[in-house]
Amino acid sequence: MRASRFGSTALLGCTALFITTVQAAERGTNGRVEEVVVTGTREAEQLRDFAGSISLVKGDDVTVVGSTHHSEIMNRAPGTMIQRNSGEESLTAIRSPVLSGPGSCGTFLFLENSVPIRPTGFCNVNELFEVNSEQASSIEVLRGPAGVIYGSGAMHGAINVISAQPGEMPARSIALEGGPDEYYRGKLGLSHKSDATDVGGVVVASHDGGWRDSSGLEEQKLNVGLTHRRGDAQMGLDLAATNLNQETAGFIQGFNAYRNEAIAKSNPNPEAYRDAYAVRLTGRYEQPLSENMQLAVRPYARYSRMDFLQHFLIGKPLEENGQESVGVLTALDFTAFNNTRFLTGVDIEFAQGFLKETQAGPATDGAPAANAIRPAGKHYDYRVDSRVAAIYGQVEQPFAERWRATGGVRYEYVDYEYDNRMIDGNTAENGATCPGGCLFNRPADRSDDFNNVTAKLGLSYEITDDHTLYLTATRGYRAPDTSELYRLQRQQSVADLDSERLDSIELGARGFFGPLNYSLAAFTMDKDNVIFRDSNGFNVSDGRTKHEGVEYEFSWAALDTVSLTLAGTYAKHTYDFNRVIEQGETIVAGRDIDTAPRHINTARLNWNFVPSATAELEWVAVGKYFVDAANANEYPGHDLLNLRVSWQATDNWRTILRLNNVTDRAYADRADFAFGNYRYFPGRGRTLFVEVRYEME
């Protein structure tokens, strides 16, 4: 791995800062923050023992924020920036630029109760709307590679939405919420507990008329859980289902168009829509095999469908896609001689996915030459059967009283069997040719397989009971997405792609001084075999990028009634190769990757101003960033203020007021530059939401 001057400086800076921490720690404090996380190993462990970066968003934060879009709650974690597009759509950055395009979603892993919500090779950039973050018990954001435990994906990070188990839920709960533009939301929760069995569920239903023209949506989410205890064993079932019917608003165009309220509220694509639903069933079986050995088995089945009009493409074709998958995750966790902890398991998955793209009529919205290569009818119609098998092992060895070493390795095999259900080549559906060849190329039936090995090495030192320092070297990877392999264009009939690979070094520290909690991390990462579309429209995998930065989290309980939380990152994400890419953009090594702000910061001041009421004032700052690979055009960034007030009227009744964008700032949730013009998804102005909640234990 290559370490630049910036990365070396960041790591040395973190070391120097921690030396100061050590000296202060020697003066000693009492107590310990015992935060428990599950994302690092799929098993519950104390955060202080994990060699890596995980941020925990707690359930009460989820309730108070009451996010109308998952970005509002997940962006509280440092190094995380989820950009809101239209409705429930989004693009993600975790210790990375905001990534878009086919397969970019495979760079991150989205989990529900530590189980991926999509099969390998069939991701969607908007898939976070499929999980019930609105009623989560907690949300964990893991930053950096997690390939040893989770395999393909999680190169830059993972988001794990954790549902409340039935035994943790109140017996009855209901919440009603209202806001402008015909926004209504209802939440319901029920549970029943007995000596051997707990059962419970939550449901949320939303109606949003949309603050932009023709941008309303209807959405419903359901989570039901059952837990049964038999002796030392515990068994359970978790059902998750979601449905979305959305009218989609497209980009507005023109330099600083988001500052014009009339343009911001307009919708250039009133015909656009997205309809999607997903169902997941997960089993849980945990059995102590001995005093020092625990077996966990998680079988699962998943089903999803999505139809959406690709309003951003010439001809506006309709895409239909879907997946069905079954699999099992296993873990054997045991402690042997000399307090050595072993974690090992086998993961298996079988999936079948399909994709169809159909253009209803002749293209008329592009230049004549562009219209001519986009014929009406079906462009793609294929199915892919996939198989994934993996074996992994990780060892944790304490030594010399306060030291702990961690080492892990994973081998994973991914196989795709591709079946083209149309005529091969880049012709129209009926075999007719286009001038110079049609845009869409359908490969002949084929199979592709990928073998990947990843590893992690970690070292941690518990300086005192309250302070820990760690150093890790980790590799992450992702197999190419099926759309990158088989949804080809122009003269490319075979995409000979390698798995993307990312090597990371991270130095971090966490702990507390009395009322001050802190977490610091410095990282440097090199990514190879980056998949992109070159100037010929070919999908290739010979790109390289570099990622370096520092992240921080501080929480200070200044008084019994006042606390302050700070979180943020300074990072530099750059190209490490030279190439002309699609649409004539030129990549030059050393330039910033587009949509990669160097500064992202948040601050939250909480004030318990009377015994039954609390207010939170949140500041969100997104730094400027370039919107093209040439670094010739940029978005200036923005600062937002949000205010939330919660009043516990009685033991059972609670009212929450949320005032988003207090200063009515004009800003863009997403800025882009393409086809010679600025494009924006505008941010919403000042908005007030009111929620009334009732809970009974």
Side-chain angles (χ1 to χ4, degrees), residues 8-124:
S8 301
T9 302
L11 292 172
L12 290 172
C14 192
T15 304
L17 179 59
F18 198 76
I19 290 173
T20 304
T21 300
V22 173
Q23 293 171 345
E26 292 174 347
R27 292 191 290 270
T29 59
N30 296 319
R32 181 192 296 274
V33 176
E34 300 290 359
E35 288 191 335
V36 175
V37 294
V38 299
T39 305
T41 61
R42 296 191 201 144
E43 304 295 326
E45 62 178 332
Q46 292 179 359
L47 177 58
R48 65 184 175 89
D49 293 333
F50 178 69
S53 295
I54 296 179
S55 293
L56 176 64
V57 180
K58 298 180 180 179
D60 193 57
D61 292 332
V62 173
T63 298
V64 171
V65 171
S67 53
T68 59
H69 186 273
H70 43 268
S71 62
E72 297 170 14
I73 186 66
M74 296 176 184
N75 287 351
R76 292 164 84 93
T80 305
M81 185 175 74
I82 298 175
Q83 289 188 331
R84 181 173 188 169
N85 295 348
S86 178
E88 291 300 302
E89 298 173 349
S90 62
L91 293 173
T92 301
I94 305 174
R95 201 172 272 186
S96 72
V98 174
L99 299 177
S100 61
S104 62
C105 44
T107 302
F108 314 104
L109 195 63
F110 303 132
L111 308 157
E112 182 178 54
N113 300 323
S114 301
V115 178
I117 65 173
R118 286 286 188 103
T120 297
F122 299 95
C123 71
N124 184 276

Side-chain angles (χ1 to χ4, degrees), residues 431-448:
T433 60
C434 303
C438 299
L439 175 64
F440 313 102
N441 199 334
R442 297 170 292 274
D445 294 355
R446 57 181 286 117
S447 62
D448 295 276

